[in-house]
Amino acid sequence: MRTVMRTPVSSKAAVVSRPGAIRVVAPTVGRPAARFARVAAADTDEVALLEKALAMAKERISKAAEAAVAPAEVEEGGVPGKAFTVRTFNAISQVGLNRFPKKNYQVAGEISQLSDSPMAIMLRSHKLQVEEVPATVRCIVRCGAGVNNIPVPKMTELGIPVFNTPGANANAVKELVVCSLLLASRGIMEGHIHVNDVIYKEEKMDYEKCAKRIEKDKAMFVGREIQGKTLGVIGLGAIGGAVVNSALALGMNVVGYDPVLSLDAAWKLPGDRMKRATSLDELLTQSDYITLHVPYIKDATHHLLNATNMKLCKPGVHFLNFARGEIIDGEAMKDMFDNGQLTGKYISDFADEALGGHPRHLVLPHLGASTEEAEDNSAAMAADTVKEFLETGTIRNSVNFPQTVLDRKPGHIGGRLVIVNKNESGVLGQITTYLGSKNVNIEQQINTSRGSIGYTVLDLTTVDDPAGVQAELAAACPGVISSRFIGDVFSDELGTPGTFFKVTWA
């Protein structure tokens, strides 16, 4: 049985006794002072915890950076010099880098650390220059959704697919949107600032006075609940769809608008529980909150919300923008805030030149995808996309090439010829005519196109002279930009990484 004996006088120590042990407990102090001391200690503990978290984050980033520039390694029994080579920019999550088997892939941050010129480029925020893309590069992948840092039009011209990782950071952004719904509604940040910058200073950290002010001043920050309010979601892709489901779970009404909704995204939406607006104007007139989840396209989504259509909004509407800053006309919004047409808040993780410092613009650091889980998911998805493309020619999640999937036929032992060509009339006919003239049998094929690019995948029977076929094909078909033979990767000569890749522009 444990016995606790404390002295009734606050200035004396208490003794705790139990079998085999004696412990002295610090003297008790006056109750209000003790409570205030606990608050101060809690603040100190919180600072220490934040400092520890920051140190851990720096260590994680440092390790990832070291991994990104570390010399490429090949496991024993691997294929030095005949592995797929991947150059990385930025610190890529080790979770993603580990998806590349060291036996068959070399991954490094510098070309000099690879056994051969890179066949793929993997990056995050690095602003890629054309001169950083050698003729050996088959593809580029960004660990994230936006590709503004990649010269996509030029890569398309060179026949290089650019991939991204849509949806990998969807949960991270969704959670920030849910947080921002509450930040817009409840005066949370304003209240916190008021306590730290006003109450604590004016009351000189006197506990009793601070406690009374904190209770009294709550009337300054009366908010409203989000349950039963209407959220307008512009863009119903991976992130927008996730936001829809969370908002419904919180008891909100949801109106969605997306004029280019894909079939895959549509299947994931709770169509019976949300309303789809037929126009942007319809959504604007109904919403108490509006959240944006569309890409920035200069001629399409630049100032999607502007001086004209924001007049349709309810005066107290709150705007949430974790997509791109340029989607909202900040100058028009500032004018409407200043003249009282709009009385809500604008929450974003982007700076706005016109709204800088405005009391109704609540700006956060660019936190949308800044979680460890999102970085890991994006890197893993990027690595898987690169592997599938290099090893099979499959294209998924490309921003400039058509989605193309051709499953191998059971028992197929011939080579796979992957051709990037101009999307022009007659090019496919030229390709098949040439192959026929060489008595090359096509077992199956797929031809897809997107804009100016055509992409053709052909499974062939045996090919005696792959390099000769590629050279003659390029000469016979001016529309061919590049060609690549893929066999049973890592098992035969035709499939050896780095073999039989030809570009017509280098």
Side-chain angles (χ1 to χ4, degrees):
M1 180 177 179
R2 182 175 176 179
T3 304
V4 179
M5 297 180 291
R6 289 189 176 88
T7 61
V9 182
S10 64
S11 61
K12 295 184 178 180
V15 177
V16 180
S17 64
R18 62 185 179 192
I22 298 178
R23 178 162 59 92
V24 178
V25 180
T28 60
V29 294
R31 193 175 170 190
R35 288 165 59 190
F36 196 75
R38 286 197 297 272
V39 171
D43 287 344
T44 302
D45 291 344
E46 184 176 356
V47 170
L49 183 61
L50 289 172
E51 289 176 344
K52 182 179 179 181
L54 179 61
M56 292 174 65
K58 288 181 177 179
E59 183 181 2
R60 179 173 59 82
I61 292 172
S62 176
K63 288 181 179 179
E66 291 173 3
V69 299
E73 298 179 8
V74 179
E75 292 179 351
E76 185 178 352
V79 282
K82 293 298 181 181
F84 284 118
T85 49
V86 181
R87 184 183 184 185
T88 61
F89 291 90
N90 310 118
I92 307 297
S93 164
Q94 196 62 44
V95 171
L97 299 180
N98 289 341
R99 305 288 275 234
F100 294 112
K102 289 183 179 180
K103 180 179 179 181
N104 305 126
Y105 284 82
Q106 293 180 1
V107 184
E110 298 294 338
I111 293 179
S112 61
Q113 296 168 334
L114 298 170
S115 62
D116 204 351
S117 188
M119 303 173 196
I121 288 176
M122 191 175 186
L123 51 77
R124 289 174 58 200
S125 58
H126 173 74
K127 192 167 181 62
L128 189 67
Q129 305 300 315
V130 174
E131 55 268 23
E132 294 175 314
V133 184
T136 55
V137 169
R138 281 80 156 157
C139 67
I140 298 168
V141 64
R142 171 153 194 274
C143 304
V147 291
N148 293 355
N149 56 320
I150 300 172
V152 176
K154 184 62 178 178
M155 295 304 102
T156 304
E157 179 186 327
L158 299 178
I160 299 173
V162 176
F163 300 101
N164 65 352
T165 58
N169 63 357
N171 187 69
V173 179
K174 176 208 73 177
E175 289 184 357
L176 190 59
V177 171
V178 172
C179 171
S180 298
L181 287 170
L182 301 175
L183 292 178
S185 303
R186 301 300 298 271
I188 296 168
M189 289 191 65
E190 295 87 347
H192 173 70
I193 292 170
H194 178 74
V195 170
N196 278 327
D197 295 352
V198 178
I199 294 178
Y200 283 161
K201 290 181 179 179
E202 291 182 355
E203 306 302 340
K204 298 180 173 51
M205 294 300 290
D206 181 285
Y207 171 76
E208 294 291 352
K209 291 180 180 180
C210 287
K212 289 179 181 179
R213 281 286 301 277
I214 288 173
E215 179 66 24
K216 176 185 175 183
D217 289 3
K218 68 182 181 182
M220 299 170 60
F221 306 101
V222 175
R224 66 178 184 183
E225 299 179 12
I226 63 174
Q227 185 176 17
K229 306 301 187 299
T230 298
L231 173 66
V233 182
I234 303 174
L236 298 170
I239 297 173
V243 169
V244 167
N245 284 297
S246 290
L248 290 170
L250 289 168
M252 301 188 77
N253 303 312
V254 179
V255 178
Y257 174 70
D258 192 332
V260 292
L261 183 65
S262 70
L263 183 60
D264 287 343
W267 277 110
K268 298 175 183 177
L269 293 173
D272 59 330
R273 299 172 58 209
M274 65 164 284
K275 177 182 178 181
R276 281 204 54 192
T278 57
S279 70
L280 179 59
D281 289 355
E282 181 185 350
L283 179 145
L284 297 180
T285 59
Q286 297 180 21
S287 301
D288 300 303
Y289 302 81
I290 295 171
T291 181
L292 295 151
H293 303 288
V294 296
Y296 176 70
I297 304 171
K298 188 174 182 179
D299 297 325
T301 59
H302 181 77
H303 289 178
L304 184 66
L305 297 188
N306 50 63
T308 300
N309 59 23
M310 282 193 291
K311 292 178 181 178
L312 302 173
C313 296
K314 297 179 181 180
V317 66
H318 298 296
F319 298 92
L320 314 178
N321 182 9
F322 299 102
R324 288 291 181 269
E326 300 88 341
I327 295 171
I328 287 183
D329 184 345
E331 189 170 345
M333 180 173 281
K334 178 182 182 299
D335 290 341
M336 296 179 76
F337 279 147
D338 291 344
N339 65 28
Q341 286 180 278
L342 292 175
T343 59
K345 295 188 181 75
Y346 172 36
I347 301 181
S348 74
D349 58 353
F350 301 99
D352 188 287
E353 185 175 2
L355 284 162
H358 197 284
R360 294 195 178 278
H361 186 201
L362 201 162
V363 188
L364 307 174
H366 193 54
L367 298 176
S370 293
T371 68
E372 186 173 337
E373 294 86 351
E375 292 179 9
D376 290 347
N377 292 340
S378 294
M381 185 174 178
D384 290 345
T385 299
V386 168
K387 285 172 55 186
E388 188 175 35
F389 174 74
L390 291 178
E391 296 179 18
T392 71
T394 296
I395 292 182
R396 304 181 200 269
N397 300 320
S398 174
V399 300
N400 62 336
F401 270 55
Q403 177 160 311
T404 310
V405 180
L406 183 64
D407 294 329
R408 293 274 193 179
K409 291 177 64 176
H412 175 74
I413 59 173
R416 169 167 284 192
L417 179 58
V418 176
I419 300 172
V420 179
N421 55 272
K422 297 176 182 177
N423 185 24
E424 297 175 352
S425 176
V427 174
L428 180 59
Q430 292 173 356
I431 293 170
T432 55
T433 297
Y434 166 76
L435 293 174
S437 71
K438 293 296 179 180
N439 295 318
V440 175
N441 183 47
I442 301 173
E443 289 193 351
Q444 64 172 350
Q445 69 179 45
I446 186 172
N447 173 257
T448 56
S449 63
R450 180 173 180 176
S452 62
I453 285 293
Y455 188 67
T456 306
V457 181
L458 308 105
D459 281 343
L460 313 175
T461 53
T462 56
V463 178
D464 295 330
D465 181 14
V469 168
Q470 286 179 295
E472 291 182 12
L473 177 64
C477 307
V480 170
I481 300 172
S482 68
S483 63
R484 179 164 62 108
F485 272 107
I486 306 173
D488 185 2
V489 181
F490 313 120
S491 297
D492 59 40
E493 186 183 40
L494 193 60
T496 298
T499 307
F500 307 126
F501 176 64
K502 180 177 180 59
V503 296
T504 60
W505 48 267

